[in-house]
Amino acid sequence: MKEEKKLCSIVVPCYNEQDAVPIYYGEMLKIFEMIPELDFEFVFIDDGSADGTLKIIKQLRDEDERVHYVSFSRNFGKEAGIYAGLEHARGDYVVIMDVDLQDPPELICGMYHTIKEEGYDCVATRRVNRKGEPPIRSFFARMFYKMINKISKTEIVDGARDYRFMTRQMADSIVSMHEYNRFSKGIFGWVGFKTKWIEYENIERVAGETKWSFWKLFNYSLEGIAAFSTVPLSIASFFGLLFCIVAFVGTIFISLRALIFGDPVSGWPSMVCIIMFLGGIQLLCIGIIGMYLSKTYLECKNRPIYISKEEA
Ligand code: UDP
Ligand code: MG
């Protein structure tokens, strides 16, 4: 008996990508022809686009029944898009990729064979350079990855893309993580499974422009830290202990000095500096606690990760 063809779902988050969607679709059809042993379906996520993205996806849907979509009621962000896509994907394999062709579609053939023949659960990609990106952004990105890998037990790979080919089992485990503050790069690492990394050079997007500003990235990195490490919370304890020791030694020193040399009143400028410094440290620690508290607050409200307005 002939083995039934396996289905591969392609999850594509799109936000204001009306120019990129048709080009992407055309490229993907070529790939589908190269892998005849798989059936394919698209799961486009229209992440509350303000342009004609949804219209174009619907046109594709009319022509091609392999095209499915979920349209959000507003912009929920790429993380929510990935989650919705994984939830709606029905395939035995699931691929997550960007619509701007920064994730080279031709890699899919190799990824599929790796999973099928080498027994991996997931093939993930990372870019080896950040060509075409502002140098200051690359610098901060590198710093971020260095730091988070020091303070988090979950491995978060520098330059990792969200472009991944994974098995049904892994997709299901990602969907089983319902957290509201989603940091996919950490979630992929957290669920584990045997992952093979492949590398490629950074490619500039084919149409439209990047949705990430510096501040968006900065906030995203805080999200990552709060979601996958509790080390910053220990900073308060660390400083507390440090200053206790300093205060103890200082008290002994000053007492002895007063006993030996008398007690002239002086040194108030240095006193002011010390008080201000300690006040600053205290506020910093409260701020860190506040960051975790706010995440906890959002998490316990248990809001849905996205709201779908229409889907097909
Ligand atoms: N995206 C999304 N929602 C957002 C922002 C981005 O679904 O709020 C999608 C976007 O359409 C693209 C992918 O996420 O398919 C990656 O976005 P972008 O190319 O702007 O990021 P970069 O490649 O610069 O990291
Ligand atoms: Mg891009």
Side-chain angles (χ1 to χ4, degrees), residues 8-12 20-35 40-44 60 64 66-67 95-109 111 163-165:
C8 176
S9 307
I10 317 274
V11 169
V12 203
V21 172
I23 309 175
Y24 169 80
Y25 178 74
E27 288 297 314
M28 287 306 287
L29 290 189
K30 292 184 205 155
I31 303 299
F32 292 178
E33 272 165 26
M34 286 161 66
I35 319 177
F40 285 92
E41 68 164 5
F42 286 106
V43 184
F44 284 104
L60 294 178
D64 183 351
R66 291 174 301 183
V67 173
V95 183
I96 301 171
M97 64 194 297
D98 288 0
V99 73
D100 56 11
L101 290 178
Q102 275 186 311
D103 299 333
E106 59 277 9
L107 294 181
I108 291 182
C109 307
M111 288 168 147
Y163 185 22
R164 275 168 186 261
F165 194 118

mmCIF file of all heavy atoms in Angstrom, residues 8-12 20-35 40-44 60 64 66-67 95-109 111 163-165:
data_model
loop_
_atom_site.group_PDB
_atom_site.id
_atom_site.type_symbol
_atom_site.label_atom_id
_atom_site.label_comp_id
_atom_site.label_asym_id
_atom_site.label_seq_id
_atom_site.Cartn_x
_atom_site.Cartn_y
_atom_site.Cartn_z
ATOM 1 N N CYS A 8 2.639 19.385 5.372
ATOM 2 C CA CYS A 8 3.539 20.354 5.988
ATOM 3 C C CYS A 8 2.853 21.721 6.010
ATOM 4 O O CYS A 8 2.434 22.215 4.972
ATOM 5 C CB CYS A 8 4.837 20.400 5.190
ATOM 6 S SG CYS A 8 5.984 21.635 5.768
ATOM 7 N N SER A 9 2.693 22.299 7.187
ATOM 8 C CA SER A 9 2.050 23.614 7.299
ATOM 9 C C SER A 9 3.103 24.710 7.340
ATOM 10 O O SER A 9 4.090 24.588 8.057
ATOM 11 C CB SER A 9 1.233 23.711 8.582
ATOM 12 O OG SER A 9 0.344 22.642 8.687
ATOM 13 N N ILE A 10 2.867 25.756 6.575
ATOM 14 C CA ILE A 10 3.791 26.890 6.593
ATOM 15 C C ILE A 10 3.104 28.047 7.304
ATOM 16 O O ILE A 10 2.107 28.572 6.813
ATOM 17 C CB ILE A 10 4.152 27.342 5.160
ATOM 18 C CG1 ILE A 10 4.429 26.153 4.252
ATOM 19 C CG2 ILE A 10 5.275 28.348 5.178
ATOM 20 C CD1 ILE A 10 5.810 25.642 4.277
ATOM 21 N N VAL A 11 3.635 28.422 8.456
ATOM 22 C CA VAL A 11 3.048 29.505 9.252
ATOM 23 C C VAL A 11 3.753 30.822 8.910
ATOM 24 O O VAL A 11 4.970 30.918 9.009
ATOM 25 C CB VAL A 11 3.214 29.196 10.756
ATOM 26 C CG1 VAL A 11 2.854 30.407 11.598
ATOM 27 C CG2 VAL A 11 2.378 27.995 11.141
ATOM 28 N N VAL A 12 2.975 31.796 8.475
ATOM 29 C CA VAL A 12 3.574 33.053 8.002
ATOM 30 C C VAL A 12 2.915 34.268 8.661
ATOM 31 O O VAL A 12 1.829 34.669 8.259
ATOM 32 C CB VAL A 12 3.402 33.212 6.469
ATOM 33 C CG1 VAL A 12 4.452 34.137 5.907
ATOM 34 C CG2 VAL A 12 3.401 31.888 5.751
ATOM 35 N N ALA A 20 4.949 42.238 -0.147
ATOM 36 C CA ALA A 20 5.775 41.037 -0.027
ATOM 37 C C ALA A 20 4.982 39.751 -0.239
ATOM 38 O O ALA A 20 5.516 38.769 -0.765
ATOM 39 C CB ALA A 20 6.464 41.016 1.333
ATOM 40 N N VAL A 21 3.701 39.742 0.141
ATOM 41 C CA VAL A 21 2.927 38.483 0.114
ATOM 42 C C VAL A 21 2.917 37.816 -1.273
ATOM 43 O O VAL A 21 3.241 36.625 -1.378
ATOM 44 C CB VAL A 21 1.489 38.691 0.653
ATOM 45 C CG1 VAL A 21 0.641 37.444 0.435
ATOM 46 C CG2 VAL A 21 1.534 39.025 2.134
ATOM 47 N N PRO A 22 2.582 38.547 -2.365
ATOM 48 C CA PRO A 22 2.542 37.860 -3.665
ATOM 49 C C PRO A 22 3.911 37.318 -4.094
ATOM 50 O O PRO A 22 3.998 36.207 -4.628
ATOM 51 C CB PRO A 22 2.095 38.958 -4.638
ATOM 52 C CG PRO A 22 1.551 40.055 -3.799
ATOM 53 C CD PRO A 22 2.208 39.969 -2.472
ATOM 54 N N ILE A 23 4.985 38.079 -3.819
ATOM 55 C CA ILE A 23 6.323 37.620 -4.207
ATOM 56 C C ILE A 23 6.658 36.349 -3.432
ATOM 57 O O ILE A 23 7.143 35.365 -3.986
ATOM 58 C CB ILE A 23 7.387 38.704 -3.892
ATOM 59 C CG1 ILE A 23 6.964 40.056 -4.481
ATOM 60 C CG2 ILE A 23 8.748 38.287 -4.397
ATOM 61 C CD1 ILE A 23 7.878 41.206 -4.128
ATOM 62 N N TYR A 24 6.355 36.382 -2.143
ATOM 63 C CA TYR A 24 6.619 35.238 -1.275
ATOM 64 C C TYR A 24 5.863 34.004 -1.757
ATOM 65 O O TYR A 24 6.422 32.913 -1.887
ATOM 66 C CB TYR A 24 6.205 35.602 0.156
ATOM 67 C CG TYR A 24 6.185 34.423 1.091
ATOM 68 C CD1 TYR A 24 7.348 33.932 1.645
ATOM 69 C CD2 TYR A 24 4.980 33.796 1.401
ATOM 70 C CE1 TYR A 24 7.324 32.840 2.498
ATOM 71 C CE2 TYR A 24 4.945 32.706 2.247
ATOM 72 C CZ TYR A 24 6.117 32.232 2.782
ATOM 73 O OH TYR A 24 6.092 31.148 3.612
ATOM 74 N N TYR A 25 4.585 34.205 -2.065
ATOM 75 C CA TYR A 25 3.741 33.087 -2.500
ATOM 76 C C TYR A 25 4.316 32.444 -3.770
ATOM 77 O O TYR A 25 4.451 31.217 -3.859
ATOM 78 C CB TYR A 25 2.323 33.608 -2.737
ATOM 79 C CG TYR A 25 1.355 32.568 -3.247
ATOM 80 C CD1 TYR A 25 0.855 31.595 -2.406
ATOM 81 C CD2 TYR A 25 0.950 32.565 -4.588
ATOM 82 C CE1 TYR A 25 -0.036 30.633 -2.863
ATOM 83 C CE2 TYR A 25 0.062 31.612 -5.057
ATOM 84 C CZ TYR A 25 -0.423 30.649 -4.194
ATOM 85 O OH TYR A 25 -1.301 29.698 -4.650
ATOM 86 N N GLY A 26 4.718 33.289 -4.709
ATOM 87 C CA GLY A 26 5.303 32.793 -5.960
ATOM 88 C C GLY A 26 6.541 31.951 -5.701
ATOM 89 O O GLY A 26 6.717 30.865 -6.271
ATOM 90 N N GLU A 27 7.408 32.441 -4.818
ATOM 91 C CA GLU A 27 8.644 31.709 -4.508
ATOM 92 C C GLU A 27 8.341 30.357 -3.858
ATOM 93 O O GLU A 27 8.994 29.354 -4.132
ATOM 94 C CB GLU A 27 9.521 32.532 -3.552
ATOM 95 C CG GLU A 27 10.172 33.745 -4.174
ATOM 96 C CD GLU A 27 11.138 33.379 -5.285
ATOM 97 O OE1 GLU A 27 11.947 32.460 -5.082
ATOM 98 O OE2 GLU A 27 11.059 34.007 -6.365
ATOM 99 N N MET A 28 7.340 30.360 -2.980
ATOM 100 C CA MET A 28 7.033 29.138 -2.241
ATOM 101 C C MET A 28 6.485 28.052 -3.167
ATOM 102 O O MET A 28 6.755 26.865 -2.972
ATOM 103 C CB MET A 28 6.038 29.422 -1.117
ATOM 104 C CG MET A 28 6.618 30.172 0.044
ATOM 105 S SD MET A 28 8.073 29.399 0.744
ATOM 106 C CE MET A 28 7.341 28.010 1.578
ATOM 107 N N LEU A 29 5.719 28.456 -4.184
ATOM 108 C CA LEU A 29 5.180 27.450 -5.103
ATOM 109 C C LEU A 29 6.304 26.663 -5.762
ATOM 110 O O LEU A 29 6.213 25.454 -5.963
ATOM 111 C CB LEU A 29 4.305 28.120 -6.161
ATOM 112 C CG LEU A 29 2.976 28.697 -5.667
ATOM 113 C CD1 LEU A 29 2.108 29.127 -6.833
ATOM 114 C CD2 LEU A 29 2.210 27.702 -4.800
ATOM 115 N N LYS A 30 7.403 27.369 -6.081
ATOM 116 C CA LYS A 30 8.558 26.688 -6.690
ATOM 117 C C LYS A 30 9.105 25.629 -5.737
ATOM 118 O O LYS A 30 9.502 24.543 -6.151
ATOM 119 C CB LYS A 30 9.672 27.702 -6.998
ATOM 120 C CG LYS A 30 9.324 28.673 -8.099
ATOM 121 C CD LYS A 30 10.528 29.555 -8.381
ATOM 122 C CE LYS A 30 10.086 30.881 -8.979
ATOM 123 N NZ LYS A 30 11.045 31.959 -8.755
ATOM 124 N N ILE A 31 9.139 25.964 -4.449
ATOM 125 C CA ILE A 31 9.668 25.019 -3.458
ATOM 126 C C ILE A 31 8.752 23.793 -3.353
ATOM 127 O O ILE A 31 9.215 22.658 -3.260
ATOM 128 C CB ILE A 31 9.793 25.701 -2.076
ATOM 129 C CG1 ILE A 31 10.667 26.944 -2.160
ATOM 130 C CG2 ILE A 31 10.316 24.732 -1.025
ATOM 131 C CD1 ILE A 31 12.085 26.689 -2.601
ATOM 132 N N PHE A 32 7.440 24.043 -3.388
ATOM 133 C CA PHE A 32 6.486 22.930 -3.272
ATOM 134 C C PHE A 32 6.735 21.902 -4.375
ATOM 135 O O PHE A 32 6.655 20.699 -4.150
ATOM 136 C CB PHE A 32 5.038 23.440 -3.372
ATOM 137 C CG PHE A 32 4.620 24.293 -2.195
ATOM 138 C CD1 PHE A 32 3.352 24.865 -2.159
ATOM 139 C CD2 PHE A 32 5.473 24.518 -1.131
ATOM 140 C CE1 PHE A 32 2.962 25.652 -1.087
ATOM 141 C CE2 PHE A 32 5.096 25.308 -0.053
ATOM 142 C CZ PHE A 32 3.834 25.879 -0.035
ATOM 143 N N GLU A 33 7.053 22.414 -5.570
ATOM 144 C CA GLU A 33 7.312 21.491 -6.681
ATOM 145 C C GLU A 33 8.578 20.675 -6.451
ATOM 146 O O GLU A 33 8.701 19.550 -6.928
ATOM 147 C CB GLU A 33 7.445 22.275 -7.988
ATOM 148 C CG GLU A 33 6.095 22.465 -8.653
ATOM 149 C CD GLU A 33 6.127 23.521 -9.736
ATOM 150 O OE1 GLU A 33 7.214 23.754 -10.307
ATOM 151 O OE2 GLU A 33 5.057 24.130 -9.977
ATOM 152 N N MET A 34 9.501 21.251 -5.703
ATOM 153 C CA MET A 34 10.767 20.540 -5.475
ATOM 154 C C MET A 34 10.612 19.410 -4.451
ATOM 155 O O MET A 34 11.489 18.552 -4.335
ATOM 156 C CB MET A 34 11.843 21.525 -4.985
ATOM 157 C CG MET A 34 12.359 22.423 -6.101
ATOM 158 S SD MET A 34 13.179 23.879 -5.468
ATOM 159 C CE MET A 34 14.596 23.196 -4.675
ATOM 160 N N ILE A 35 9.540 19.437 -3.652
ATOM 161 C CA ILE A 35 9.333 18.374 -2.652
ATOM 162 C C ILE A 35 7.994 17.694 -2.918
ATOM 163 O O ILE A 35 7.019 17.911 -2.183
ATOM 164 C CB ILE A 35 9.358 18.933 -1.209
ATOM 165 C CG1 ILE A 35 10.467 19.971 -1.055
ATOM 166 C CG2 ILE A 35 9.545 17.806 -0.197
ATOM 167 C CD1 ILE A 35 10.524 20.625 0.304
ATOM 168 N N PHE A 40 1.337 20.523 1.085
ATOM 169 C CA PHE A 40 1.599 21.755 1.831
ATOM 170 C C PHE A 40 0.317 22.521 2.103
ATOM 171 O O PHE A 40 -0.664 22.389 1.378
ATOM 172 C CB PHE A 40 2.543 22.669 1.032
ATOM 173 C CG PHE A 40 3.962 22.198 1.047
ATOM 174 C CD1 PHE A 40 4.444 21.366 0.043
ATOM 175 C CD2 PHE A 40 4.821 22.581 2.067
ATOM 176 C CE1 PHE A 40 5.753 20.920 0.057
ATOM 177 C CE2 PHE A 40 6.130 22.143 2.087
ATOM 178 C CZ PHE A 40 6.608 21.314 1.080
ATOM 179 N N GLU A 41 0.334 23.307 3.173
ATOM 180 C CA GLU A 41 -0.722 24.298 3.383
ATOM 181 C C GLU A 41 -0.076 25.556 3.937
ATOM 182 O O GLU A 41 0.956 25.489 4.598
ATOM 183 C CB GLU A 41 -1.793 23.773 4.360
ATOM 184 C CG GLU A 41 -1.300 23.606 5.780
ATOM 185 C CD GLU A 41 -2.417 23.453 6.819
ATOM 186 O OE1 GLU A 41 -3.598 23.379 6.433
ATOM 187 O OE2 GLU A 41 -2.090 23.422 8.014
ATOM 188 N N PHE A 42 -0.670 26.698 3.609
ATOM 189 C CA PHE A 42 -0.207 27.955 4.194
ATOM 190 C C PHE A 42 -1.123 28.334 5.347
ATOM 191 O O PHE A 42 -2.343 28.161 5.251
ATOM 192 C CB PHE A 42 -0.317 29.093 3.178
ATOM 193 C CG PHE A 42 0.708 29.077 2.096
ATOM 194 C CD1 PHE A 42 0.365 28.693 0.810
ATOM 195 C CD2 PHE A 42 2.003 29.496 2.346
ATOM 196 C CE1 PHE A 42 1.298 28.710 -0.204
ATOM 197 C CE2 PHE A 42 2.941 29.521 1.331
ATOM 198 C CZ PHE A 42 2.594 29.116 0.047
ATOM 199 N N VAL A 43 -0.550 28.837 6.420
ATOM 200 C CA VAL A 43 -1.377 29.489 7.445
ATOM 201 C C VAL A 43 -0.857 30.915 7.554
ATOM 202 O O VAL A 43 0.139 31.190 8.218
ATOM 203 C CB VAL A 43 -1.284 28.779 8.800
ATOM 204 C CG1 VAL A 43 -2.241 29.430 9.795
ATOM 205 C CG2 VAL A 43 -1.592 27.299 8.670
ATOM 206 N N PHE A 44 -1.491 31.837 6.830
ATOM 207 C CA PHE A 44 -1.098 33.240 6.906
ATOM 208 C C PHE A 44 -1.759 33.857 8.129
ATOM 209 O O PHE A 44 -2.939 33.615 8.398
ATOM 210 C CB PHE A 44 -1.564 34.008 5.670
ATOM 211 C CG PHE A 44 -0.735 33.745 4.443
ATOM 212 C CD1 PHE A 44 -1.201 32.920 3.420
ATOM 213 C CD2 PHE A 44 0.509 34.341 4.306
ATOM 214 C CE1 PHE A 44 -0.442 32.682 2.292
ATOM 215 C CE2 PHE A 44 1.277 34.106 3.170
ATOM 216 C CZ PHE A 44 0.805 33.279 2.163
ATOM 217 N N LEU A 60 -5.607 35.010 -2.722
ATOM 218 C CA LEU A 60 -4.852 33.764 -2.849
ATOM 219 C C LEU A 60 -5.719 32.583 -2.410
ATOM 220 O O LEU A 60 -5.717 31.527 -3.035
ATOM 221 C CB LEU A 60 -3.576 33.813 -1.997
ATOM 222 C CG LEU A 60 -2.514 34.822 -2.407
ATOM 223 C CD1 LEU A 60 -1.346 34.779 -1.431
ATOM 224 C CD2 LEU A 60 -2.002 34.533 -3.811
ATOM 225 N N ASP A 64 -6.475 29.224 -4.420
ATOM 226 C CA ASP A 64 -5.711 28.076 -3.954
ATOM 227 C C ASP A 64 -6.250 27.642 -2.592
ATOM 228 O O ASP A 64 -6.132 28.374 -1.614
ATOM 229 C CB ASP A 64 -4.231 28.513 -3.834
ATOM 230 C CG ASP A 64 -3.318 27.364 -3.430
ATOM 231 O OD1 ASP A 64 -3.839 26.287 -3.080
ATOM 232 O OD2 ASP A 64 -2.086 27.545 -3.479
ATOM 233 N N ARG A 66 -5.168 25.552 -0.601
ATOM 234 C CA ARG A 66 -4.144 25.252 0.407
ATOM 235 C C ARG A 66 -3.857 26.461 1.286
ATOM 236 O O ARG A 66 -3.143 26.373 2.268
ATOM 237 C CB ARG A 66 -2.837 24.835 -0.283
ATOM 238 C CG ARG A 66 -2.925 23.487 -0.974
ATOM 239 C CD ARG A 66 -1.652 23.229 -1.743
ATOM 240 N NE ARG A 66 -1.405 24.256 -2.756
ATOM 241 C CZ ARG A 66 -0.385 24.236 -3.606
ATOM 242 N NH1 ARG A 66 0.485 23.272 -3.552
ATOM 243 N NH2 ARG A 66 -0.235 25.186 -4.495
ATOM 244 N N VAL A 67 -4.386 27.620 0.877
ATOM 245 C CA VAL A 67 -4.136 28.840 1.655
ATOM 246 C C VAL A 67 -5.188 28.979 2.763
ATOM 247 O O VAL A 67 -6.378 28.967 2.501
ATOM 248 C CB VAL A 67 -4.175 30.093 0.747
ATOM 249 C CG1 VAL A 67 -4.076 31.362 1.585
ATOM 250 C CG2 VAL A 67 -3.065 30.031 -0.276
ATOM 251 N N VAL A 95 6.401 24.669 9.581
ATOM 252 C CA VAL A 95 7.499 25.595 9.313
ATOM 253 C C VAL A 95 7.036 26.992 9.696
ATOM 254 O O VAL A 95 5.922 27.376 9.380
ATOM 255 C CB VAL A 95 7.879 25.599 7.818
ATOM 256 C CG1 VAL A 95 9.069 26.507 7.567
ATOM 257 C CG2 VAL A 95 8.160 24.202 7.317
ATOM 258 N N ILE A 96 7.870 27.728 10.410
ATOM 259 C CA ILE A 96 7.554 29.133 10.697
ATOM 260 C C ILE A 96 8.489 29.972 9.843
ATOM 261 O O ILE A 96 9.692 29.734 9.846
ATOM 262 C CB ILE A 96 7.822 29.470 12.174
ATOM 263 C CG1 ILE A 96 6.990 28.576 13.082
ATOM 264 C CG2 ILE A 96 7.536 30.934 12.452
ATOM 265 C CD1 ILE A 96 7.363 28.692 14.538
ATOM 266 N N MET A 97 7.959 30.899 9.073
ATOM 267 C CA MET A 97 8.860 31.778 8.336
ATOM 268 C C MET A 97 8.285 33.159 8.091
ATOM 269 O O MET A 97 7.076 33.349 8.143
ATOM 270 C CB MET A 97 9.324 31.116 7.032
ATOM 271 C CG MET A 97 8.270 30.833 6.011
ATOM 272 S SD MET A 97 8.850 29.692 4.718
ATOM 273 C CE MET A 97 10.158 30.597 3.946
ATOM 274 N N ASP A 98 9.185 34.136 7.856
ATOM 275 C CA ASP A 98 8.771 35.511 7.572
ATOM 276 C C ASP A 98 8.345 35.608 6.122
ATOM 277 O O ASP A 98 8.781 34.841 5.280
ATOM 278 C CB ASP A 98 9.937 36.477 7.790
ATOM 279 C CG ASP A 98 10.264 36.648 9.255
ATOM 280 O OD1 ASP A 98 9.576 36.021 10.079
ATOM 281 O OD2 ASP A 98 11.206 37.406 9.545
ATOM 282 N N VAL A 99 7.542 36.616 5.854
ATOM 283 C CA VAL A 99 7.001 36.759 4.515
ATOM 284 C C VAL A 99 7.933 37.602 3.642
ATOM 285 O O VAL A 99 7.777 37.663 2.435
ATOM 286 C CB VAL A 99 5.583 37.394 4.601
ATOM 287 C CG1 VAL A 99 5.656 38.859 4.953
ATOM 288 C CG2 VAL A 99 4.797 37.166 3.339
ATOM 289 N N ASP A 100 8.942 38.229 4.247
ATOM 290 C CA ASP A 100 9.761 39.174 3.481
ATOM 291 C C ASP A 100 10.924 38.502 2.743
ATOM 292 O O ASP A 100 11.807 39.172 2.228
ATOM 293 C CB ASP A 100 10.276 40.293 4.390
ATOM 294 C CG ASP A 100 11.053 39.755 5.595
ATOM 295 O OD1 ASP A 100 11.364 38.541 5.599
ATOM 296 O OD2 ASP A 100 11.333 40.527 6.512
ATOM 297 N N LEU A 101 10.929 37.173 2.714
ATOM 298 C CA LEU A 101 11.967 36.379 2.044
ATOM 299 C C LEU A 101 13.353 36.577 2.651
ATOM 300 O O LEU A 101 14.357 36.318 2.008
ATOM 301 C CB LEU A 101 11.998 36.656 0.532
ATOM 302 C CG LEU A 101 10.784 36.119 -0.229
ATOM 303 C CD1 LEU A 101 10.849 36.472 -1.705
ATOM 304 C CD2 LEU A 101 10.667 34.605 -0.100
ATOM 305 N N GLN A 102 13.381 37.038 3.904
ATOM 306 C CA GLN A 102 14.666 37.070 4.609
ATOM 307 C C GLN A 102 15.013 35.668 5.107
ATOM 308 O O GLN A 102 16.125 35.415 5.527
ATOM 309 C CB GLN A 102 14.608 38.040 5.793
ATOM 310 C CG GLN A 102 14.909 39.466 5.383
ATOM 311 C CD GLN A 102 14.991 40.383 6.578
ATOM 312 O OE1 GLN A 102 14.130 40.396 7.441
ATOM 313 N NE2 GLN A 102 16.039 41.177 6.628
ATOM 314 N N ASP A 103 14.016 34.795 5.081
ATOM 315 C CA ASP A 103 14.234 33.393 5.419
ATOM 316 C C ASP A 103 14.220 32.624 4.106
ATOM 317 O O ASP A 103 13.164 32.412 3.529
ATOM 318 C CB ASP A 103 13.106 32.868 6.314
ATOM 319 C CG ASP A 103 13.025 33.637 7.624
ATOM 320 O OD1 ASP A 103 14.052 34.161 8.059
ATOM 321 O OD2 ASP A 103 11.928 33.697 8.194
ATOM 322 N N PRO A 104 15.396 32.235 3.593
ATOM 323 C CA PRO A 104 15.451 31.658 2.243
ATOM 324 C C PRO A 104 14.610 30.379 2.120
ATOM 325 O O PRO A 104 14.885 29.390 2.803
ATOM 326 C CB PRO A 104 16.935 31.342 2.035
ATOM 327 C CG PRO A 104 17.652 31.888 3.201
ATOM 328 C CD PRO A 104 16.700 32.301 4.244
ATOM 329 N N PRO A 105 13.579 30.381 1.250
ATOM 330 C CA PRO A 105 12.691 29.223 1.127
ATOM 331 C C PRO A 105 13.417 27.968 0.659
ATOM 332 O O PRO A 105 13.016 26.865 1.014
ATOM 333 C CB PRO A 105 11.674 29.663 0.070
ATOM 334 C CG PRO A 105 11.767 31.142 -0.003
ATOM 335 C CD PRO A 105 13.154 31.495 0.379
ATOM 336 N N GLU A 106 14.499 28.121 -0.100
ATOM 337 C CA GLU A 106 15.166 26.932 -0.649
ATOM 338 C C GLU A 106 15.775 26.052 0.442
ATOM 339 O O GLU A 106 16.094 24.895 0.198
ATOM 340 C CB GLU A 106 16.209 27.316 -1.719
ATOM 341 C CG GLU A 106 17.324 28.231 -1.279
ATOM 342 C CD GLU A 106 16.931 29.717 -1.305
ATOM 343 O OE1 GLU A 106 15.738 30.023 -1.512
ATOM 344 O OE2 GLU A 106 17.818 30.567 -1.104
ATOM 345 N N LEU A 107 15.894 26.582 1.652
ATOM 346 C CA LEU A 107 16.439 25.757 2.741
ATOM 347 C C LEU A 107 15.458 24.668 3.170
ATOM 348 O O LEU A 107 15.840 23.696 3.803
ATOM 349 C CB LEU A 107 16.761 26.630 3.957
ATOM 350 C CG LEU A 107 17.879 27.653 3.797
ATOM 351 C CD1 LEU A 107 18.092 28.405 5.098
ATOM 352 C CD2 LEU A 107 19.177 26.963 3.403
ATOM 353 N N ILE A 108 14.170 24.849 2.828
ATOM 354 C CA ILE A 108 13.149 23.919 3.315
ATOM 355 C C ILE A 108 13.439 22.477 2.886
ATOM 356 O O ILE A 108 13.276 21.551 3.683
ATOM 357 C CB ILE A 108 11.747 24.367 2.843
ATOM 358 C CG1 ILE A 108 11.375 25.667 3.567
ATOM 359 C CG2 ILE A 108 10.692 23.303 3.127
ATOM 360 C CD1 ILE A 108 10.012 26.200 3.229
ATOM 361 N N CYS A 109 13.913 22.284 1.646
ATOM 362 C CA CYS A 109 14.200 20.917 1.156
ATOM 363 C C CYS A 109 15.204 20.236 2.081
ATOM 364 O O CYS A 109 14.972 19.118 2.566
ATOM 365 C CB CYS A 109 14.803 20.948 -0.251
ATOM 366 S SG CYS A 109 13.831 21.878 -1.413
ATOM 367 N N MET A 111 16.013 21.033 5.115
ATOM 368 C CA MET A 111 15.480 20.886 6.468
ATOM 369 C C MET A 111 14.615 19.636 6.561
ATOM 370 O O MET A 111 14.697 18.861 7.514
ATOM 371 C CB MET A 111 14.625 22.105 6.829
ATOM 372 C CG MET A 111 15.398 23.375 7.066
ATOM 373 S SD MET A 111 14.216 24.731 7.110
ATOM 374 C CE MET A 111 14.967 25.813 8.277
ATOM 375 N N TYR A 163 12.792 31.292 11.918
ATOM 376 C CA TYR A 163 12.629 30.367 10.795
ATOM 377 C C TYR A 163 12.992 28.948 11.251
ATOM 378 O O TYR A 163 14.150 28.672 11.544
ATOM 379 C CB TYR A 163 13.555 30.827 9.677
ATOM 380 C CG TYR A 163 13.460 30.077 8.366
ATOM 381 C CD1 TYR A 163 12.326 29.360 8.009
ATOM 382 C CD2 TYR A 163 14.527 30.126 7.464
ATOM 383 C CE1 TYR A 163 12.264 28.704 6.790
ATOM 384 C CE2 TYR A 163 14.469 29.484 6.240
ATOM 385 C CZ TYR A 163 13.332 28.768 5.923
ATOM 386 O OH TYR A 163 13.280 28.126 4.714
ATOM 387 N N ARG A 164 11.991 28.075 11.320
ATOM 388 C CA ARG A 164 12.204 26.731 11.834
ATOM 389 C C ARG A 164 11.324 25.725 11.129
ATOM 390 O O ARG A 164 10.211 26.040 10.743
ATOM 391 C CB ARG A 164 11.807 26.653 13.310
ATOM 392 C CG ARG A 164 12.873 27.074 14.207
ATOM 393 C CD ARG A 164 12.353 27.264 15.584
ATOM 394 N NE ARG A 164 13.426 27.821 16.371
ATOM 395 C CZ ARG A 164 14.204 27.106 17.172
ATOM 396 N NH1 ARG A 164 13.996 25.835 17.332
ATOM 397 N NH2 ARG A 164 15.186 27.665 17.821
ATOM 398 N N PHE A 165 11.840 24.519 11.038
ATOM 399 C CA PHE A 165 11.081 23.390 10.510
ATOM 400 C C PHE A 165 10.970 22.435 11.680
ATOM 401 O O PHE A 165 11.970 22.045 12.265
ATOM 402 C CB PHE A 165 11.874 22.755 9.364
ATOM 403 C CG PHE A 165 11.086 21.790 8.511
ATOM 404 C CD1 PHE A 165 10.893 22.050 7.157
ATOM 405 C CD2 PHE A 165 10.555 20.631 9.047
ATOM 406 C CE1 PHE A 165 10.173 21.169 6.359
ATOM 407 C CE2 PHE A 165 9.840 19.750 8.255
ATOM 408 C CZ PHE A 165 9.646 20.015 6.906
#
